Amino acid sequence: MSTSASNPYPLVGLRDNERATVMVKDVTIGCGPPVLIAGPCAVETETQMFQAAEMARAAGARLLRGGAFKPRTSPYSFQGLALNGLRLLHQASVGTALPLVTEVVDTRDVETVAQYADMLQIGARNMHNFALLRAVGATRMPVLLKRGVAATIDEWLYAAEYIAQAGGEAIVLCERGIRTFETRTRFTLDVAAVPVLRQLTKLPVMVDPSHAAGERRLVLPLARASLAAGADGLLVELHPDPAKAACDGPQALIGTDIPKLAALMRADHGIRE
Ligand code: PEP
Ligand code: MN
């Protein structure tokens, strides 16, 4: 498909104000109540994953998350449990009846991850990995496409076009914070991306306040701001024992946060237009 100056996004762009919804099993993302995706950063043990999945369900999550393949900045950091992790995630997903969102970081793993997941996550570090974007698109599975830490909104939408071109049109965009000069937060949450994307794309837009915040106490205020800005949902990390977490413990919500998150998800956030 060709593009023109007025329509740079033939597959994911907004036309005639027609918005797309993305179905992950029986869960609809977009054009309705906000959807919560929750779970630990990484799957670590059977007990940890089971407890985290119960926390996610108590928070009102409709989808369960957890990484088995972790895209770590340092090669010396925990890289995930790989196939064993996928098996544990699948178990927790079936046990809670929450469809599973999990990240794939390598084209060679797409087929395997696709067997266990209901939605494939492309992480911030891979938003520009065009071979991976094409590979996940070719599965035609729902894809959660995170924004790259230094990607403009237009670059992000082109990444979505790569996925759609390969055949995967069920794409959800996820703002997760960008790199700025500010160091008091892990990344700077670009809340404005939500209403800006509304003008440019038909795709649903979610927000991940956890990776932007980097710190537990900031997660719920950023989550609230995201829903107020019209996000179609949130992706939030939690952990039964964050002090022992293999990654991203400081930003993981804990048991006492769960009722607050549940109340936030239940609140009326007005019209997401
Ligand atoms: C994650 O969701 O655990 C993750 C690694 O996120 P991001 O790619 O946004 O850093
Ligand atoms: Mn994480």
Side-chain angles (χ1 to χ4, degrees):
M1 202 170 290
S2 63
T3 63
S4 65
S6 61
N7 183 18
Y9 310 114
L11 300 175
V12 307
L14 183 66
R15 232 174 310 155
D16 303 327
N17 221 29
E18 275 176 32
R19 307 207 170 268
T21 56
V22 169
M23 292 291 295
V24 185
K25 283 196 161 167
D26 61 333
V27 179
T28 307
I29 305 175
C31 302
V35 169
L36 175 64
I37 303 176
C41 182
V43 48
E44 297 157 8
T45 66
E46 187 174 349
T47 309
Q48 170 255 5
M49 195 56 221
F50 176 79
Q51 291 175 347
E54 284 306 320
M55 289 171 77
R57 189 163 62 171
R62 305 287 315 283
L63 300 167
L64 181 66
R65 68 147 282 145
F69 293 93
K70 295 306 302 174
R72 305 308 298 280
T73 298
S74 162
Y76 306 110
S77 300
F78 176 63
Q79 301 287 310
L81 299 181
L83 190 56
N84 283 335
L86 289 177
R87 292 195 185 109
L88 293 176
L89 285 167
H90 187 70
Q91 242 175 48
S93 164
V94 171
T96 48
L98 297 176
L100 178 66
V101 185
T102 195
E103 181 165 351
V104 56
V105 300
D106 191 311
T107 51
R108 292 168 295 188
D109 298 325
V110 170
E111 211 175 304
T112 308
V113 177
Q115 282 167 16
Y116 292 88
D118 300 299
M119 182 180 217
L120 300 173
Q121 179 173 318
I122 295 293
R125 291 159 189 79
N126 273 312
M127 192 213 81
H128 271 136
N129 183 340
F130 301 120
L132 187 61
L133 297 176
R134 287 199 181 101
V136 298
T139 68
R140 296 176 187 262
M141 284 178 62
V143 176
L144 185 72
L145 177 62
K146 295 256 198 130
R147 181 182 186 173
V149 301
T152 64
I153 288 173
D154 286 284
E155 288 166 339
W156 189 10
L157 287 172
Y158 283 127
E161 283 285 326
Y162 269 96
I163 296 171
Q165 235 191 24
E169 298 215 25
I171 306 164
V172 176
L173 300 169
C174 183
E175 161 65 34
R176 47 78 72 212
I178 52 177
R179 185 159 281 171
T180 69
F181 51 81
E182 182 55 68
T183 55
R184 288 281 175 177
T185 48
R186 188 176 178 193
F187 294 94
T188 297
L189 186 66
D190 183 10
V191 181
V194 177
V196 169
L197 284 166
R198 283 279 177 258
Q199 299 174 5
L200 298 173
T201 178
K202 64 184 180 182
L203 300 178
V205 181
M206 295 186 79
V207 175
D208 165 2
S210 300
H211 289 88
E215 184 193 330
R216 182 169 311 120
R217 282 178 308 176
L218 303 178
V219 172
L220 288 174
L222 294 182
R224 204 172 294 123
S226 305
L227 293 178
D232 294 303
L234 299 173
L235 181 151
V236 172
E237 288 189 348
L238 46 77
H239 198 286
D241 188 0
K244 296 211 180 86
C247 61
D248 288 353
Q251 71 197 29
L253 295 190
I254 55 177
T256 49
D257 297 315
I258 299 306
K260 296 179 209 161
L261 178 57
L264 180 61
M265 294 312 298
R266 279 196 307 269
D268 183 358
H269 304 287
I271 302 164
R272 271 163 299 284
E273 264 303 306

